Amino acid sequence: MPALPDLVCSECAAIYPVASLAWRCSCGGLLDVVDFVLTMDATALPGRSPSLWRYTEVLPIAVDLTVSLGEGFSPLVPSRAFPHVQLKLDFLLPTLSFKDRGAVVLATLAKRLGVTRAMVDSSGNAGTAMAAYFSRAGIDCTVYVPESTSPGKLAQMRTHGATVELVPGSRADTSAAALLAAGQDGVLYASHVYHPYFLHGVKTYGYEIWEQRARSLPETVVVPVGNGTMVLGCYLAFSELVAAGLAERMPRIVAVQASACSPLEQAMAQGLEAPVAVQNGATIAEGIAITAPPRGKQLLRAVRATGGTIISVTDEQIAAAHRELADEGLFVEPTSAVSFAAVRAAVDRTYVSDSPTWAVAASLLTAQFVVVPLCGAGLKSLTR
């Protein structure tokens, strides 16, 4: 069985064996996966099963069929409203969100390492994905979530057998509570933010776009951003495809926040290298209400490297986009509607005209070929 790639600190370059269950460097830096050999055999793809594991050569761990639920390879369909837009339906994955991509990789890793207990913090979708995949792997899982988390997501976690810890206050309060509990001997902190193996699962989203578009990349990919796992996963995929000579250029990444909680958009507009924490404003896009994203510096660097930008949309625009998607036959949670709302604003020119980030985004969102992810199903956000 191939050796598992180690982890490396993004600040001091210290190396940690992945079997150590480290999730953060002793210097406080975030961990990434060390460079490993990427030699995907593109000619073999047509004969492989339609799951994210078809890209096995670029993943840090091999498939375990006792853990996998066949996740990945979600449909890419044209939008009825926008002829230049294709919608990637990740809300059709097994637990109804894109977080399955990273969760299956972490559960596979945990099983291979002989882990018996795992914990995670989440605004909802990561928790449901972790609960499902760790249950399938036979590993006890505890999920820390805000007490305001949608009942549907809580029911999902509990049905999969997870222990759910409800934390009063904001998403930031939940993260703080989880960090206090992290680091217990023999317990994997399966954080979708801190553990970098998760990002390598998410990057398969970008590989699928490339393959489903006849091995070409769009001009623009529009992504909701809170903690930013989708943004960083896309950046990893597009960088690897270009480096391997399988794509000529990177798509521009336009990341979208809710205007009530937009630290990354504000940092981008001000030309900052790192976001400044903001007060948590109430928003219907609960999945991206992150006041201080830990990988904020990496997110800003990644988006800028593609020539993209970060913008925000209002709850009114998100709600309208949510209804419009439903008219197209697509029932998603409000967080999943933010990217569609951004495209609608660009097409109708209803964005903030004096915003420096919107000045860049408007043309990118109306480019000839744009891909928008729909990341979570609408049933997750029902309150009754």
Side-chain angles (χ1 to χ4, degrees):
M1 189 173 291
L4 297 171
D6 292 331
L7 310 181
V8 58
C9 176
S10 59
E11 298 293 332
C12 72
I15 300 293
Y16 292 84
V18 70
S20 70
L21 305 188
W23 56 273
R24 188 168 59 186
C25 181
S26 59
C27 79
L30 298 169
L31 300 178
D32 295 317
V33 179
V34 299
D35 290 337
F36 57 98
V37 178
L38 304 175
T39 54
M40 186 175 73
D41 182 2
T43 64
L45 291 176
R48 294 181 176 177
S49 62
S51 78
L52 64 82
W53 297 101
R54 66 196 286 109
Y55 311 112
T56 183
E57 297 96 339
V58 299
L59 292 171
I61 193 167
V63 64
D64 181 335
L65 294 176
T66 68
V67 179
S68 174
L69 290 166
E71 54 288 321
F73 228 68
S74 60
L76 185 67
V77 302
S79 166
R80 186 188 67 183
F82 306 118
H84 69 295
V85 171
Q86 291 177 298
L87 305 169
K88 185 132 173 74
L89 312 187
D90 259 28
F91 70 91
L92 298 179
L93 296 188
T95 77
L96 308 182
S97 91
F98 86 96
K99 295 289 175 57
D100 289 0
R101 296 181 182 274
V104 69
V105 172
L106 285 185
T108 302
L109 172 66
K111 184 178 179 184
R112 179 163 165 185
L113 295 178
V115 168
T116 59
R117 295 171 58 208
M119 59 160 291
V120 65
D121 59 296
S122 169
S123 59
N125 284 335
T128 61
M130 297 295 185
Y133 281 97
F134 279 104
S135 176
R136 186 165 173 84
I139 297 169
D140 290 339
C141 182
T142 298
V143 184
Y144 289 75
V145 291
E147 62 181 2
S148 60
T149 298
S150 300
K153 295 176 183 177
L154 296 177
Q156 243 186 313
M157 295 172 207
R158 289 171 173 145
T159 300
H160 289 307
T163 299
V164 177
E165 296 286 351
L166 297 177
V167 180
S170 68
R171 177 66 176 88
D173 294 320
T174 300
S175 296
L179 290 176
L180 288 175
Q184 303 170 55
D185 287 344
V187 179
L188 174 66
Y189 180 32
S191 170
H192 61 293
V193 180
Y194 286 100
H195 203 297
Y197 269 53
F198 189 94
L199 299 177
H200 284 266
V202 174
K203 77 180 179 186
T204 58
Y205 173 88
Y207 276 88
E208 289 175 19
I209 291 174
W210 166 81
E211 189 177 0
Q212 290 170 316
R213 287 181 42 81
R215 303 192 179 190
S216 70
L217 290 173
E219 294 171 74
T220 305
V221 175
V222 194
V223 226
V225 60
N227 275 313
T229 51
M230 177 66 85
V231 170
L232 293 175
C234 283
Y235 181 74
L236 273 172
F238 302 149
S239 300
E240 291 172 6
L241 286 163
V242 171
L246 296 171
E248 293 184 358
R249 44 113 186 106
M250 298 268 286
R252 310 292 177 90
I253 295 177
V254 176
V256 190
Q257 299 210 277
S259 57
C261 187
S262 58
L264 292 162
E265 182 259 350
Q266 293 177 40
M268 180 67 73
Q270 297 170 38
L272 302 178
E273 292 186 1
V276 177
V278 298
Q279 292 295 316
N280 187 27
T283 174
I284 60 175
E286 65 175 3
I288 55 172
I290 308 299
T291 60
R295 292 190 182 269
K297 288 170 62 176
Q298 289 182 330
L299 289 164
L300 290 164
R301 284 198 303 267
V303 171
R304 286 173 174 142
T306 72
T309 191
I310 304 175
I311 55 176
S312 66
V313 290
T314 66
D315 270 21
E316 291 75 18
Q317 290 172 309
I318 297 168
H322 186 258
R323 292 191 295 271
E324 188 171 3
L325 284 166
D327 289 341
E328 291 207 22
L330 300 165
F331 183 37
V332 299
E333 61 179 334
T335 300
S336 287
V338 298
S339 296
F340 197 85
V343 175
R344 171 56 70 192
V347 170
D348 293 349
R349 299 186 179 183
T350 54
Y351 49 85
V352 180
S353 60
D354 60 351
S355 164
T357 60
W358 265 105
V360 175
S363 62
L364 301 182
L365 294 170
T366 52
Q368 187 175 5
F369 300 111
V370 176
V371 170
V372 169
L374 300 179
C375 300
L379 289 173
K380 287 171 168 283
S381 58
L382 292 180
T383 57
R384 58 183 173 87

